[in-house]
């Protein structure tokens, strides 16, 4: 029985077919629909909710950034994986800031793309130090600052986890740095998400950046 239901959104039918073939190799993944632009994707979600949306960035009528913004607001439990040919900050970072939980390049291996779907679905997607730094800078320059006092206060250990997350560390790297188990790191991340009412690691960084709680000096 498939555990991860996927919607593929891309204006190129060949790309949609290839992505569908890649992820359908896993018996636990089911492609439940395809759309050629953001508008069609939203119409699909109004009828049926997938677990993960694989979203292209550049599309006619409604692009991936616009569609991601709408989906993240209306259906916060749906995870979005940006899948694009572009790896520049002008495309990937706005997608992440809009609500995507991760991103992949279209020329990635089938195994990497499938791993990306699974990571986004589980909320365990991670960002490289460079992308984490660029994401925080992007959020600070484009989004109005929020009041850190309005956020539920983190414990000392949760703050340590947040700072390491902002450095692009994986769960394993954070566990090694803090001399704790990966399970403990996941538990701390889960408590931060619950306190701040966010859904994944990327959104933790977005909220923390808006509140000025992390920097890269």
């Amino acid at each position: 029985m498939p555990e991860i239901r996927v919607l593929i959104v891309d204006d190129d039918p060949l790309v949609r077919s290839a992505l569908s073939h890649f992820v359908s190799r896993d018996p636990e993944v089911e492609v439940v629909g395809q759309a050629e632009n953001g508008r069609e994707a939203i119409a699909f979600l109004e009828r049926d909710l997938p677990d993960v949306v694989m979203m292209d960035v550049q599309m006619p009528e409604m692009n991936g950034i616009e569609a991601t913004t709408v989906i993240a607001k209306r259906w916060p439990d749906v995870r979005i994986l940006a899948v694009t040919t572009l790896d520049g900050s002008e495309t990937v970072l706005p997608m992440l800031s809009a609500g995507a939980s991760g991103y992949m390049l279209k020329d990635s291996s089938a195994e990497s793309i499938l791993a990306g779907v699974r990571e986004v679905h589980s909320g365990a997607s991670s960002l490289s130090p460079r992308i984490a730094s660029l994401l925080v800078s992007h959020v600070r320059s484009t989004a109005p600052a929020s009041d850190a006092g309005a956020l539920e206060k983190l414990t000392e250990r949760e703050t340590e986890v947040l700072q390491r997350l902002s450095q692009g560390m994986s769960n394993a790297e954070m566990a090694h740095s803090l001399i704790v188990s990966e399970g403990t790191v996941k538990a701390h991340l889960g408590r931060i998400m619950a306190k701040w009412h966010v859904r994944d690691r990327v959104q933790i960084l977005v909220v923390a950046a808006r509140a000025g709680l992390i920097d890269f000096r």
Side-chain angles (χ1 to χ4, degrees), residues 54-89:
M54 300 176 69
M55 182 77 75
D56 190 17
V57 176
Q58 294 184 330
M59 296 178 290
E61 294 192 38
M62 178 181 282
N63 65 40
I65 297 170
E66 295 167 333
T68 295
T69 301
V70 173
I71 292 170
K73 182 176 181 179
R74 293 182 60 183
W75 299 286
D77 291 335
V78 175
R79 299 291 188 264
I80 300 171
L81 175 65
V83 184
T84 177
T85 57
L86 305 174
D87 62 356
S89 60

Side-chain angles (χ1 to χ4, degrees), residues 144-149 151 206-214:
S146 62
D147 180 10
L151 296 174
V206 170
V207 169
R210 285 175 179 162
L213 297 177
I214 49 180

Side-chain angles (χ1 to χ4, degrees), residues 98-119:
S101 297
Y103 75 91
M104 299 289 298
L105 295 179
K106 290 180 180 177
D107 61 359
S108 300
S109 67
E111 292 75 16
S112 295
I113 291 174
L114 181 58
V117 170
R118 286 190 162 279
E119 288 175 354

Side-chain angles (χ1 to χ4, degrees), residues 9-29:
V9 187
D10 196 291
D11 60 333
D12 187 333
L14 294 179
V15 171
R16 294 199 303 270
S17 178
L19 292 176
S20 178
H21 175 70
F22 289 162
V23 299
S24 295
R25 291 181 180 181
D26 190 321
E28 295 184 348
V29 177

